[in-house]
Amino acid sequence: MDSRDLLQATVDLLVQPGKGILAADESGPTIAKRFKAVGVESTDENRRAYRHLLLATPGLSAYISGVILYEETLMQRADDSSPLPELATRQGLVPGIKVDAGKIPLALAPGDEITQGLDGLAKRLAAYKEHGARFAKWRAVYNVSDTLPSRLAIEANADALARYAAICQEEAVVPIVEPEVLMDGGHTLERCAEATEAVLHEVFDALHRHRVVLEHMLLKPSMVVAGKAQARQALATEVAAQTVRVLRRRVPAAVPGIFFLSGGQTPAEASAHLDAMNRLGPHPWALSFSFGRALQDPVLHAWQGQAANTRSAQEALLERARLNSAAREGRYDPTMEGVSARTSARA
Ligand code: 5MM
């Protein structure tokens, strides 16, 4: 298969009706924080056991097409000693890999951040491919205030995202481009819309300059929501209307899929927002999910580091995946919610 056919085949596998992507790519410090919240120590074995539990969930591929892994997981082994990415593939889940090296403060731009990890990326991708990865993910993060993100941060992060995406495509790996406008702070829904629109405008300009083929990439944006500390939280219909308006203005129809991050919303909020957006369709792109916390929080609460809880943890994952699959088609209803939505608070 030539490189273009391989990219297209991967996109086709990821963008399937009724399916989304599981983000299980938490770095060391992040997974330690998630484990700590449920009283689990972040040891190599606990991380392996937990990621094994996720990937081995029976029937998950009915609702999930791909899973984003952290480098450590790509190298770890299942209980039967086969590599974990192989387990994912056997389960009908396309393995992907987070390739950014995290964020640092952007020099001379107080309050802004920049994501690093471009050096040696082509070489790393070649190695990740050997371990089964077919798509990649890079996250840029934007803080919001009256003055943030600055022009400088918007331009610098767009350029890094586009360079990453171009390198991925040259290696026949599908890039997921993830610009996350953070929910931290007291900003309004309108301010989030304004910041998100400016960010996406610059990201697609940079992708064009760097010759990225839009048909062979996926976008993973944040939804347009008010800051967590904002007193007035919008209705799902308002979030959907604002998010879809910004996307229609700034995301070309050639992009096959938009897979949202959840960003600290509760599992039920994230599902309701995705559902409301799909009810506004048809859209030129598939509108789906690539949630981390909004899929995994109920799983972690059910698991608590105990092998005896594996089955109930997997049931919790399957339930959230099923609800988000319904939301991806505009067929979700809050009355479908069971216990999982009530056990997780806003992150
Ligand atoms: C924004 O985070 C991504 C989506 O997860 P949520 O739905 O919870 O927002 C997620 O893929 C994130 O990039 C990973 O958890 C890795 O984060 P770190 O900060 O550890 O690189």
Side-chain angles (χ1 to χ4, degrees):
M1 214 186 275
D2 80 6
S3 162
R4 270 200 313 201
D5 289 345
L6 181 56
L7 286 164
Q8 187 61 53
T10 304
V11 165
D12 291 344
L13 281 173
L14 291 172
V15 188
Q16 293 183 56
K19 296 193 188 185
I21 293 173
L22 167 63
D25 60 315
E26 301 84 359
S27 59
T30 306
I31 195 70
K33 197 165 127 191
R34 306 272 185 267
F35 276 8
K36 196 170 172 205
V38 293
V40 176
E41 199 191 339
S42 182
T43 62
D44 290 2
E45 176 48 26
N46 281 344
R47 292 192 298 273
R48 188 205 68 83
Y50 177 64
R51 265 74 183 248
H52 181 280
L53 173 161
L54 297 176
L55 298 176
T57 299
L60 191 61
S61 66
Y63 313 117
I64 300 288
S65 57
V67 54
I68 315 172
L69 304 171
Y70 184 50
E71 188 179 30
E72 174 191 62
T73 315
L74 206 64
M75 315 296 169
Q76 282 176 328
R77 290 187 174 262
D79 294 350
D80 66 2
S81 84
S82 61
L84 283 180
E86 236 178 76
L87 168 63
T89 306
R90 274 204 309 277
Q91 288 278 90
L93 310 167
V94 182
I97 175 80
K98 183 241 293 295
V99 300
D100 67 67
K103 56 194 175 61
I104 53 168
L106 178 62
L108 302 182
D112 283 316
E113 298 179 288
I114 181 82
T115 302
Q116 49 186 359
L118 287 170
D119 287 355
L121 178 57
K123 219 169 160 183
R124 280 196 288 133
L125 281 169
Y128 296 148
K129 270 193 334 190
E130 298 276 308
H131 285 88
R134 294 186 60 174
F135 70 99
K137 196 208 82 168
W138 176 292
R139 178 168 69 124
V141 171
Y142 306 86
N143 292 299
V144 183
S145 71
D146 288 347
T147 53
L148 298 176
S150 69
R151 246 350 284 160
L152 179 60
I154 290 174
E155 286 172 12
N157 276 295
D159 219 56
L161 278 166
R163 283 196 60 204
Y164 139 80
I167 295 167
C168 284
Q169 290 190 341
E170 200 160 70
E171 295 298 319
V173 170
V174 170
I176 295 188
V177 171
E178 181 180 4
E180 178 179 13
V181 174
L182 291 176
M183 283 172 67
D184 300 330
H187 52 273
T188 61
L189 184 77
E190 290 71 25
R191 176 73 191 113
C192 180
E194 187 177 54
T196 306
E197 190 170 342
V199 162
L200 290 175
H201 177 80
E202 202 61 36
V203 166
F204 280 95
D205 186 61
L207 289 167
H208 174 70
R209 278 188 284 106
H210 286 266
R211 305 173 182 175
V212 172
V213 178
L214 298 183
E215 288 82 353
H216 293 161
M217 61 157 275
L218 301 174
L219 182 70
K220 175 168 171 167
S222 37
M223 298 179 192
V224 174
V225 289
K228 281 183 211 163
Q230 166 65 228
R232 199 188 91 75
Q233 287 298 322
L235 300 169
T237 47
E238 292 177 279
V239 169
Q242 291 274 0
T243 306
V244 166
R245 186 174 65 111
V246 167
L247 295 175
R248 283 188 178 150
R249 286 180 172 181
R250 297 300 165 201
V251 183
V255 173
I258 298 178
F259 288 68
F260 290 99
L261 59 89
S262 58
Q265 301 173 49
T266 65
E269 281 169 345
S271 300
H273 292 159
L274 178 62
D275 179 73
M277 281 186 249
N278 275 307
R279 286 175 193 261
L280 295 175
H283 302 296
W285 351 258
L287 283 190
S288 188
F289 59 94
S290 173
F291 298 155
R293 283 162 284 182
L295 280 167
Q296 292 187 57
D297 279 1
V299 187
L300 284 163
H301 279 93
W303 178 54
Q304 300 201 319
Q306 303 298 319
N309 295 335
T310 296
R311 178 170 288 194
S312 50
Q314 290 178 329
E315 277 165 8
L317 177 60
L318 209 56
E319 188 200 350
R320 283 267 45 101
R322 185 177 59 82
L323 293 169
N324 286 308
S325 166
R328 188 217 189 288
E329 304 296 314
R331 286 188 293 98
Y332 163 89
D333 190 287
T335 58
M336 293 157 79
E337 290 287 350
V339 190
S340 70
R342 294 191 290 275
T343 51
S344 306
R346 267 183 172 226

